[in-house]
Amino acid sequence: MTATKRLLGSLSLDLDNKWSYLKTHGDAIWESFPSYLDLVVPRVLAFLKERNLTITFFIVGQDAALPQHREVLRSLAEAGHEIGNHSFHHEPWLHLYSEQQIEEELAKAEESIESATGVRPTGFRGPGFSVSPMVLRVLAKRGYRYDASTFPTFLGPLARAYYFATSKLSPEEKAKRKMLFGKFREGLRTLRPYRWRTSPKPVVEIPVTTVPIFKVPFHVSYLIYLACYSRFLAVSYFHWALIMCRLTNVQPSLLLHPLDFLGGDDTSDLGYFPGMSMSGPRKLELCAAFFDLFCRHFTPVTMRQHAESLPDDGRTVPLSRF
């Protein structure tokens, strides 16, 4: 009897720093660039090493540009993890940038990330899932292999409404963020990787996976939010999401964030984020349960490995269908 071939599943972490969350929330203190990288990076690396896992870290260029972060960021590359570009300024309105601004944003981030880690990134994820046809054109021109910025869910407007309700943003700042998490129609996007028709080469798109058919999220921050009400609910929901991926032959891309590993006992000024009432140890226990389930169902790979696994059948999607 022939064994069933295991599907791949990619793992990535957007290494948003404390200042970037404060900035997005509208807290002026962000300008001093407060950080938790020295706490969260060693914690995540130890967690991954225990499980012999290699993942992708999307780094914010501003952090890489600061000398005090270089050693901890280089430790990610030294541990064998893939390094990706998460923009320089971490502004979720990247889709509003001009072509020249996008060029400068990516170039500055690339230079800072390579200087800090020794690795030049070839994968990109926009902050707040911010991407546009112009961003994709610039990525192609700069030699990127893949983008991972699309988030196929119908719940984007609800997430944005919650975010605005808990923020300290002015009307002007809210206008900049009016596309944060995308429109309702984002839920119509496919969950499977594909290639954008860009020049000189196509750019692979790897969506952040949501539950097939239903298009509801199951990234780890969402699971931890559910666990605030019931651990059983969160684990059962995640198990259902993974089964749906297997039944529909979707190779999932699971998204993580630093706050999935940090609790209210680690940082006290991000309490407005869902799940920050939990302690760090409890979040680590939950992440262990989620990772165990994920690795039971799928073979874990980096984002680059996921992109390279896409068969080259010559088919591409025109940017007019963005």
Side-chain angles (χ1 to χ4, degrees):
M1 186 174 181
T2 304
T4 303
K5 183 179 179 181
R6 282 169 59 88
L7 295 174
L8 301 180
S10 53
L11 296 163
S12 63
L13 190 149
D14 290 357
L15 198 59
D16 309 331
N17 205 351
K18 179 186 286 190
W19 65 265
S20 64
Y21 286 127
L22 294 171
K23 179 180 182 179
T24 305
H25 189 247
D27 296 314
I29 193 176
W30 77 266
E31 295 179 0
S32 63
F33 297 115
S35 174
Y36 47 50
L37 294 185
D38 286 340
L39 173 61
V40 74
V41 169
R43 183 177 293 183
V44 174
L45 284 178
F47 180 91
L48 296 173
K49 185 176 181 180
E50 288 175 3
R51 291 156 181 81
N52 195 30
L53 290 172
T54 302
I55 73 170
T56 300
F57 286 86
F58 289 99
I59 294 176
V60 178
Q62 176 65 78
D63 287 316
L66 297 174
Q68 64 264 36
H69 298 322
R70 294 197 169 195
E71 183 177 349
V72 73
L73 293 178
R74 183 171 287 267
S75 70
L76 297 171
E78 290 174 344
H81 298 287
E82 183 195 0
I83 303 300
N85 186 342
H86 199 36
S87 80
F88 187 88
H89 292 99
H90 198 273
E91 295 182 338
W93 49 94
L94 185 66
H95 58 282
L96 300 179
Y97 281 22
S98 67
E99 182 175 4
Q100 181 179 345
Q101 288 175 315
I102 294 168
E103 286 270 12
E104 293 172 353
E105 179 79 4
L106 293 180
K108 194 173 181 179
E110 289 161 15
E111 292 166 7
S112 299
I113 292 169
E114 183 174 19
S115 178
T117 67
V119 178
R120 193 170 189 83
T122 58
F124 178 79
R125 177 174 287 137
F129 312 110
S130 181
V131 69
S132 68
M134 184 60 71
V135 170
L136 293 166
R137 290 189 188 98
V138 174
L139 288 175
K141 186 164 59 173
R142 299 191 67 81
Y144 279 74
R145 292 174 177 264
Y146 69 86
D147 174 69
S149 306
T150 56
F151 185 36
T153 181
F154 298 109
L155 300 185
L158 291 177
R160 183 167 58 251
Y162 173 85
Y163 163 70
F164 282 167
T166 59
S167 72
K168 302 175 182 178
L169 301 172
S170 67
E172 293 77 14
E173 290 171 322
K174 287 182 179 180
K176 283 185 176 180
R177 296 160 173 81
K178 65 181 180 180
M179 289 295 293
L180 188 64
F181 308 129
K183 295 182 178 180
F184 178 83
R185 69 185 183 196
E186 292 295 317
L188 300 176
R189 293 188 187 274
T190 181
L191 296 175
R192 292 180 172 81
Y194 53 94
R195 289 183 175 85
W196 290 111
R197 191 176 302 164
T198 49
S199 179
K201 292 182 178 180
V203 171
V204 174
E205 182 67 43
I206 306 177
V208 174
T209 313
T210 53
V211 180
I213 302 174
F214 301 94
K215 300 292 183 72
V216 288
F218 65 89
H219 53 281
V220 175
S221 297
Y222 190 78
L223 299 175
I224 287 176
Y225 167 72
L226 294 179
C228 291
Y229 299 94
S230 166
R231 182 188 187 281
F232 176 79
L233 170 64
V235 173
S236 299
Y237 177 87
F238 187 46
H239 196 194
W240 168 68
L242 297 179
I243 289 173
M244 288 297 297
C245 287
R246 289 184 59 183
L247 289 175
T248 55
N249 204 39
V250 168
Q251 300 189 114
S253 182
L254 184 64
L255 170 63
L256 299 114
H257 290 92
L259 296 187
D260 300 335
F261 298 87
L262 295 175
D265 53 333
D266 296 310
T267 178
S268 60
D269 46 2
L270 295 174
Y272 49 83
F273 274 86
M276 290 307 289
S277 60
M278 284 190 189
S279 67
R282 187 181 175 201
K283 284 191 173 182
L284 285 173
E285 185 275 328
L286 283 168
C287 283
F290 298 144
F291 272 64
D292 178 61
L293 264 178
F294 189 83
C295 295
R296 193 185 308 168
H297 286 272
F298 301 95
T299 298
V301 295
T302 64
M303 298 295 294
R304 179 168 178 170
Q305 290 170 322
H306 197 160
E308 291 175 346
S309 73
L310 182 63
D312 189 2
D313 55 10
R315 290 186 292 182
T316 58
V317 176
L319 291 177
S320 60
R321 289 177 53 188
F322 179 81

